[in-house]
Amino acid sequence: LYLKKRGAAPSDFHPTALEVLRLQADGLSVNQIAQRLQMKPFTVSYHIQENYRKLNVSRKADALLTARSLGLI
């Protein structure tokens, strides 16, 4: 992974994006995350897609596994 090679850190991610990752890891849906963070589901989806891009993955399971292995969540 690109980020793994360069040593990704939480500072590479917007704080809200990290919170979205944590809430996804807790099993919350996009709508539940939106309610919890008081934002629109579209905004949550945007953060999810940006996280996938930065983690170089295309699925939630891979994103969570990679984020855990990098110590992001």
Side-chain angles (χ1 to χ4, degrees):
L1 289 173
Y2 172 73
L3 288 178
K4 200 177 249 187
K5 289 179 184 172
R6 71 179 185 99
S11 61
D12 294 329
F13 293 80
H14 189 279
T16 305
L18 287 175
E19 184 63 19
V20 167
L21 267 174
R22 290 182 191 108
L23 293 172
Q24 280 188 292
D26 289 342
L28 275 65
S29 69
V30 169
N31 287 333
Q32 291 169 324
I33 294 169
Q35 286 180 333
R36 175 86 53 96
L37 299 180
Q38 299 181 348
M39 60 179 62
K40 294 183 180 186
F42 176 83
T43 306
V44 173
S45 294
Y46 170 80
H47 283 295
I48 290 170
Q49 290 305 312
E50 282 298 297
N51 287 339
Y52 288 5
R53 182 183 63 78
K54 290 177 183 179
L55 294 169
N56 195 29
V57 299
S58 59
R59 297 181 317 151
K60 179 170 116 174
D62 293 333
L64 297 177
L65 181 66
T66 302
R68 280 190 186 101
S69 73
L70 295 172
L72 298 174
I73 57 173

